[in-house]
Amino acid sequence: MSFVIDLDAAERREVQYPHGIPIKYREEQFIYPAELPAETLDPLLSDDLDLVGLLRDVINASENPTASVVIDLIFKRPHLPRQFVEAIYEVHRILLGDEEYERFKTLRPSLPAYVRLTTGLIKVYGVDLGKSFGLGASSESDGETSSPTSADSTDSTPEESGDSQENPASSD
């Protein structure tokens, strides 16, 4: 029997890191699982943290929310920053397990160390929450840039730079 989806098939990351993802911090080694457990996202998606609600409020605030709008919405949730940091700690506890996380924590990692570690793991795991929740694609492109069109391809391009146009400028 062949399977359409084989969850036991080796994925690229699991082949690349069969014993887990090795992380070095302050000359200590920690092994993160090769596959991201589903429960890892639970702390970030908790009702108490309500990041989804914050995202909804940012989107509803305006079509193009500014930093001040986002900051205002965060200040309306005074416990959010602390709860978010606690959620990040819990994510790492889930990934490392209680004993290894306690060993990691004794090294007193800084907030920037957690940020570097988390963003590095996001790249290795290939997690993109925006895509996971269907929030649309980025405007960036990995494709090649387009070639300029030739002057023969359109009649609307003036022969010389600065040639006058048929329509007067809007400031005239």
Side-chain angles (χ1 to χ4, degrees):
M1 172 189 287
S2 67
F3 298 94
V4 174
I5 299 172
D6 183 357
L7 292 177
D8 293 329
E11 297 295 325
R12 190 180 118 236
R13 184 176 46 259
E14 287 81 7
V15 170
Q16 201 172 10
Y17 306 105
H19 303 291
I21 301 166
I23 303 294
K24 180 180 170 186
Y25 182 66
R26 295 191 178 160
E27 301 304 317
E28 296 282 333
Q29 180 174 317
F30 300 90
I31 305 295
Y32 279 74
E35 188 172 19
L36 186 67
E39 69 187 277
T40 305
L41 297 179
D42 289 349
L44 297 171
L45 299 175
S46 76
D47 290 339
D48 290 339
L49 187 57
D50 194 29
L51 285 180
V52 175
L54 175 63
L55 179 61
R56 180 194 63 239
D57 290 350
V58 168
I59 291 169
N60 288 339
S62 68
E63 278 187 36
N64 191 10
T66 63
S68 64
V69 169
V70 173
I71 290 169
D72 185 48
L73 290 169
I74 289 173
F75 279 133
K76 289 180 181 178
R77 295 168 168 83
H79 300 291
L80 179 67
R82 182 72 182 142
Q83 288 174 320
F84 181 73
V85 170
E86 290 296 329
I88 295 296
Y89 294 161
E90 185 60 23
V91 165
H92 288 281
R93 179 182 303 282
I94 291 168
L95 289 170
L96 286 173
D98 290 337
E99 189 176 307
E100 279 297 282
Y101 180 71
E102 288 304 316
R103 186 170 73 87
F104 179 74
K105 201 167 86 169
T106 62
L107 297 175
R108 301 179 54 99
S110 65
L111 192 55
Y114 272 103
V115 170
R116 287 190 305 273
L117 175 58
T118 302
T119 55
L121 287 170
I122 287 170
K123 288 178 186 173
V124 172
Y125 285 129
V127 176
D128 186 338
L129 290 179
K131 288 180 183 175
S132 298
F133 292 108
L135 297 176
S138 168
S139 61
E140 295 177 19
S141 172
D142 290 3
E144 295 181 22
T145 57
S146 61
S147 302
T149 58
S150 69
D152 295 333
S153 66
T154 178
D155 291 334
S156 64
T157 305
E159 290 287 328
E160 304 242 348
S161 172
D163 277 357
S164 64
Q165 299 176 1
E166 291 179 27
N167 296 331
S170 61
S171 60
D172 289 344

